[in-house]
Amino acid sequence: MTSKVAVTSNSSLRMSLCDSREGQLSIRAGFLKLFEECFGRSMDQAAWEHYYLNAPPGITRSFVFFEGDALVAHGGLIPQQLEDASGKRIDFFLQTAVMVHKKYQSLALFKSLLDWMDAYVKDQRAFSLCFPNQASFQPFVKLLRWKLVREYAIHQFRISDQPEPDGRRESSWGSFGLDLPRDPEFLNWRGEVNRMKIIEIPECLLTCKEYEGNIDLLDIRFKGDWTLLPLRDIIRKLGFSRVNVPGCYLDVCSLSGLQACGTVGIPQRMCLFPAEHPGCRYEEIKPSLLLSDVF
């Protein structure tokens, strides 16, 4: 699908939707160049193939603007799925790589790109999920009317002789009826880039990865009812002295024998569009860093 849109008084950009393998391959070089220009780091070809060609539910949809032959703006929707307790699947999109070349950055172009993507999602009778960065969060929720469902920081703890107090607490864990699938195809795909590991302990399955000498706790999947996890013992057995824990998991982790070191990274803000969807109650989606395209 191609068309043109006027972005400034003296400029007209060409729009194109790439939703096939051939279409994605045709913009790969332009995408990789724009990614480096926008984020100041490169993405290797294997990572690009992971996100744009190899997601188990299907090819990623790329919404792109061209000035002549140059790709100057991009937004992606990666097909994903959630699963309920009965095994029923719900399709959704993970929004990724929204970027505009510095020369063309304007609120008008940004809104045109996101409106186009949002209209596509509505046409598919689906919903989108993303974790906006600090710069884009306010436009997403104020201008584009995305719904902020959950916000939390990532906390770092270290093993210490002066531990945090560890009192009794309540947890909302039982209210999460929707989770990412755990079939081998999805898990193998999800771990291709970040080299995550799934560790089985008596209480649950932990998904973790090493980052800068520490261990990141990405996901928790209890085998039965939730219980407090002995976090110090777990990270010590894994050979680490520090652990990064999403705030959404603190109420199911025992902090006994650990000392807080502050937070790392930026707040994680799980946002969805449209604000409501008849096939999914957003509050039932179990929080997980595996929902993001970053971790």
Side-chain angles (χ1 to χ4, degrees):
M1 180 179 74
T2 60
S3 59
K4 289 188 176 181
V5 57
V7 178
T8 67
S9 59
N10 57 4
S11 163
S12 182
L13 302 183
R14 177 169 55 91
M15 304 164 62
S16 181
L17 170 62
C18 300
D19 56 0
S20 67
R21 182 179 181 87
E22 293 74 18
Q24 285 292 352
L25 289 170
S26 73
I27 66 167
R28 178 176 59 192
F31 172 94
L32 294 175
K33 181 179 180 181
L34 181 62
F35 185 92
E36 187 166 3
E37 289 172 342
C38 290
F39 297 115
R41 57 185 176 86
S42 62
M43 175 187 288
D44 63 37
Q45 187 168 310
W48 178 85
E49 290 179 358
H50 167 86
Y51 289 114
Y52 290 87
L53 299 182
N54 297 336
I59 297 290
T60 292
R61 283 65 154 162
S62 283
F63 301 75
V64 295
F65 285 84
F66 290 94
E67 177 71 86
D69 292 331
L71 195 158
V72 300
H74 173 278
L77 295 175
I78 305 175
Q80 297 284 268
Q81 292 181 322
L82 295 167
E83 187 176 74
D84 67 15
S86 70
K88 179 184 175 182
R89 298 287 179 98
I90 298 174
D91 295 323
F92 73 100
F93 292 106
L94 173 62
Q95 186 165 284
T96 185
V98 174
M99 50 189 181
V100 179
H101 191 283
K102 291 180 181 179
K103 179 181 175 182
Y104 298 90
Q105 285 180 0
S106 69
L107 184 59
L109 180 53
F110 176 79
K111 189 173 187 303
S112 294
L113 175 60
L114 271 295
D115 284 347
W116 181 19
M117 298 170 70
D118 290 347
Y120 177 90
V121 169
K122 282 188 172 181
D123 286 345
Q124 299 296 309
R125 298 182 180 178
F127 62 91
S128 292
L129 182 152
C130 76
F131 291 81
N133 60 28
Q134 298 283 63
S136 61
F137 171 67
Q138 289 296 332
F140 265 81
V141 298
K142 300 293 185 182
L143 179 65
L144 301 170
R145 301 182 182 250
W146 282 59
K147 181 178 182 180
L148 173 63
V149 175
R150 186 164 286 108
E151 178 176 351
Y152 52 87
I154 299 178
H155 302 263
Q156 186 174 99
F157 298 91
R158 65 179 178 89
I159 294 175
S160 173
D161 294 331
Q162 297 179 332
E164 293 285 308
D166 193 38
R168 292 178 59 84
R169 69 201 79 168
E170 298 296 324
S171 176
S172 59
W173 203 267
S175 66
F176 300 135
L178 295 170
D179 198 357
L180 288 167
R182 286 299 187 272
D183 57 89
E185 184 182 20
F186 173 79
L187 291 174
N188 289 338
W189 174 79
R190 190 58 183 82
E192 282 176 353
V193 173
N194 67 0
R195 298 180 181 178
M196 70 185 197
K197 297 180 179 179
I198 300 176
I199 300 161
E200 184 170 3
I201 62 174
E203 300 88 351
C204 67
L205 298 175
L206 297 177
T207 304
C208 309
K209 72 176 179 67
E210 183 177 351
Y211 180 70
E212 296 184 345
N214 305 316
I215 188 165
D216 282 354
L217 181 55
L218 303 179
D219 187 80
I220 299 173
R221 189 180 182 96
F222 286 100
K223 297 175 182 177
D225 293 336
W226 74 272
T227 184
L228 283 181
L229 297 178
L231 206 53
R232 179 191 60 180
D233 296 341
I234 292 169
I235 65 171
R236 179 174 282 168
K237 288 178 181 178
L238 295 175
F240 294 90
S241 60
R242 293 176 184 253
V243 60
N244 299 326
V245 185
C248 56
Y249 293 157
L250 289 180
D251 58 357
V252 295
C253 290
S254 169
L255 304 180
S256 177
L258 298 174
Q259 185 173 18
C261 304
T263 60
V264 296
I266 65 172
Q268 301 300 299
R269 299 181 174 110
M270 189 177 87
C271 297
L272 292 103
F273 180 90
E276 295 182 352
H277 188 272
C280 176
R281 186 171 177 270
Y282 297 150
E283 289 76 11
E284 293 184 1
I285 300 174
K286 183 174 77 67
S288 171
L289 293 186
L290 298 182
L291 288 166
S292 168
D293 63 332
V294 175
F295 295 94

